[in-house]
């Protein structure tokens, strides 16, 4: 029986691994389906992890994390978890994709989330070279430059407002002429002098050269094609939360979720189920930043230790 099972080995899972083992839990396994490190390993540059100065990639940042945890006894199993369920005695079963099951007294789920892609030509080719899904991460690279934002939901409009403070101009490109966003946010966007709304417009292609994005071609409802020369395109067309491990045999979720599929947690990263914690990008209102995911992992780990010790 594991003291704690950690599902996912990104910044949240690895930090949970460090804190649970260093905090005294003896038998902790982190299940990660790929290489540990999480989605930040796809980033060519990270400038906003405190203390990590100089030109470092996401991979550079994450390389030492697994070894640091293993020094304190964290076991790492390269497995995909299919389902986490709760047993009658209050323990948890971790069903893996090979059909085997491990049991655990507590579980910290840290499987992250992934932004959706819009599907225009060049989006994948230029991802990380001008196409981004994170304004907090990459907005600064476009300081005093012009950028485009794709989408018409709360995320697109809020991120457009964020970018408008850094960039000289933001083109907000949306496929319809009404927005899904909150009315107050729409009002703020409309009142922003450096945000130009381009509605009824579908991005067709991002164009670029060896250095990265140089522009975007959009198809307008009128049939006209408009090209805008910009070095950055931010895509905010929705988000997939990796919550599959919490789906039970009957299709219900193990714990309470938001309507957008994020795990509901309190400030201690406790879910609605005792002994089950969630951390990082998959939890509700996650800022989707490495430093925040790591912080969540530490909080969840301290709570898991208290739970296993019976002080919850
Ligand atoms: P993740 O990093 O997504 O890790 C989840 C892990 O769980 C993954 O390793 C995955 O393989 C594993 N997993 C999922 N399902 C299963 C399963 N069923 N079984 C086993 N394992 C599973 N943040 C910043 O702070 N600054 C930046 O500059 C920045 N730039 C970014 C650039 C890019 C291109 C991307 C994609 C993200 C960037 N981010 C940045 C965001 C940051 O990467 C995330 O906020 C952070 O990685 C979230 O950590 P996490 O541990 O919650 O999830
Ligand atoms: P969302 O509400 O699903 O909006 C996605 C937007 O992208 C929509 O405007 C959609 O257009 C557009 N879109 C989807 N696929 C596209 C494609 N292939 N090409 C071009 N455009 C495409 O996603 P979200 O903005 O990430 O928000 C997700 C949920 O979180 C929402 O319920 C939102 O309210 C919530 N949220 C809340 C807050 C807040 O309360 N402060 C902040 C962020 C998010 P259509 O409109 O035409 O479908």
């Amino acid at each position: 029986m594991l003291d704690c099972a950690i599902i996912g080995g990104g910044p949240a899972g690895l930090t949970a691994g460090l804190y649970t083992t260093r905090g005294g839990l003896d038998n902790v396994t982190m299940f990660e389906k790929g290489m540990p490190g999480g989605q930040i390993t796809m980033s060519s540059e990270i400038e906003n992890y405190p203390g990590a100065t100089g030109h470092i990639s996401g991979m550079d940042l994450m390389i030492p994390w697994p070894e640091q945890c293993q020094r304190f006894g964290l076991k790492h199993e390269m497995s995909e978890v299919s389902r986490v369920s709760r047993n009658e005695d209050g323990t948890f079963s971790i069903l893996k994709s090979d059909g085997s099951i491990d049991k655990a007294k507590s579980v910290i789920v840290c499987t992250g989330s992934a932004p959706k892609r819009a599907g225009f030509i060049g989006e994948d080719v230029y991802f990380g070279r001008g196409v981004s899904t994170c304004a907090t991460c990459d907005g600064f690279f476009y300081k005093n430059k012009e950028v485009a934002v794709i989408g018409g939901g709360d995320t697109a409009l809020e991120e457009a407002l964020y970018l408008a403070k850094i960039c000289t101009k933001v083109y907000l490109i949306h496929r319809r002429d009404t927005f899904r966003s909150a009315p107050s946010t729409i009002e703020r966007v409309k009142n922003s002098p450096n945000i130009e709304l381009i509605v009824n417009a579908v991005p067709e292609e991002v164009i670029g050269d060896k250095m990265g994005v140089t522009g975007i071609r959009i198809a307008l409802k009128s049939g006209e094609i408009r090209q805008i020369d910009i070095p950055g395109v931010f895509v905010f067309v929705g988000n997939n939360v990796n919550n599959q491990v919490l789906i039970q045999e009957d299709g219900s979720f193990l714990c309470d979720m938001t309507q957008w599929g994020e795990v509901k947690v309190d400030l201690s990263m406790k879910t609605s189920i005792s002994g089950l914690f969630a951390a990082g990008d998959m939890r509700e209102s996650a800022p989707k930043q490495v430093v925040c995911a790591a912080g969540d992992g530490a909080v969840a780990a301290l709570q898991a230790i208290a739970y296993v010790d019976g002080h919850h």
Side-chain angles (χ1 to χ4, degrees):
M1 171 82 68
L2 297 172
D3 283 331
C4 184
I6 297 168
I7 322 295
L14 285 162
T15 309
L18 177 65
Y19 274 72
T20 44
T21 50
R22 193 167 178 276
L25 293 189
D26 290 329
N27 199 2
V28 182
T29 297
M30 182 185 79
F31 299 90
E32 166 56 58
K33 65 180 177 180
M35 293 302 289
Q39 34 169 321
I40 191 61
T41 56
M42 290 188 290
S43 173
S44 56
E45 187 167 7
I46 176 160
E47 281 191 330
N48 59 2
Y49 193 80
T53 53
H55 184 97
I56 65 159
S57 68
M59 185 65 91
D60 295 335
L61 179 75
M62 296 313 294
I63 277 175
W65 293 37
E67 196 206 318
Q68 186 184 14
C69 304
Q70 280 152 20
R71 253 193 276 149
F72 296 102
L74 178 70
K75 284 175 235 116
H76 164 214
E77 189 176 313
M78 200 183 206
S79 300
E80 181 167 15
V81 172
S82 306
R83 190 187 314 128
V84 176
S85 54
R86 195 158 197 256
N87 306 314
E88 273 182 9
D89 62 359
T91 62
F92 295 88
S93 288
I94 317 299
L95 172 67
K96 292 174 281 181
S97 57
D98 65 3
S100 62
I101 294 176
D102 283 313
K103 289 206 167 171
K105 294 179 192 166
S106 65
V107 177
I108 305 175
V109 189
C110 316
T111 44
S113 70
K116 289 182 187 165
R117 299 279 166 104
F120 51 79
I121 300 166
E123 187 179 21
D124 290 340
V125 174
Y126 289 106
F127 192 83
R129 295 195 298 135
V131 175
S132 170
T133 51
C134 180
T136 319
C137 312
D138 299 330
F140 189 76
F141 299 128
Y142 303 98
K143 192 171 167 64
N144 298 329
K145 294 178 181 163
E146 296 191 349
V147 295
V149 165
I150 315 294
D154 276 309
T155 308
L157 270 68
E158 287 180 9
E159 299 305 288
L161 287 165
Y162 176 88
L163 288 165
K165 286 193 232 119
I166 302 169
C167 306
T168 48
K169 181 161 185 178
V170 176
Y171 297 91
L172 179 59
I173 301 165
H174 178 39
R175 62 186 181 184
R176 295 184 299 121
D177 61 1
T178 54
F179 295 94
R180 288 177 188 275
S181 189
S184 58
T185 311
I186 299 171
E187 209 44 45
R188 283 174 60 213
V189 165
K190 286 185 172 165
N191 289 333
S192 296
N194 63 339
I195 300 181
E196 179 181 332
L197 297 182
I198 305 178
V199 293
N200 293 321
V202 177
E204 279 207 330
E205 182 176 4
V206 160
I207 44 181
D209 56 24
K210 277 188 194 146
M211 299 301 288
V213 168
T214 56
I216 186 165
R217 251 197 292 271
I218 46 181
L220 305 178
K221 208 176 181 179
S222 58
E224 190 194 331
I225 299 287
R226 178 171 171 189
Q227 182 168 323
I228 306 169
D229 296 329
I230 30 123
V233 175
F234 288 83
V235 181
F236 302 112
V237 295
N239 196 42
N240 291 320
V241 182
N242 299 329
N243 57 22
Q244 297 82 350
V245 299
L246 295 169
I247 301 175
Q248 304 301 286
E249 266 182 301
D250 65 2
S252 66
F253 281 103
L254 176 59
C255 57
D256 291 349
M257 311 289 283
T258 68
Q259 58 179 305
W260 305 302
E262 306 144 329
V263 182
K264 284 190 180 179
V265 289
D266 66 10
L267 287 176
S268 306
M269 303 303 139
K270 288 180 183 162
T271 69
S272 57
I273 298 289
S274 258
L276 178 72
F277 306 87
D281 278 15
M282 69 161 342
R283 58 103 165 155
E284 66 178 313
S285 307
K288 299 194 176 65
Q289 292 291 288
V290 174
V291 68
C292 305
D296 282 5
V299 171
L302 295 173
Q303 293 300 322
I305 295 169
Y307 177 82
V308 172
D309 288 348
H311 303 310
H312 54 95

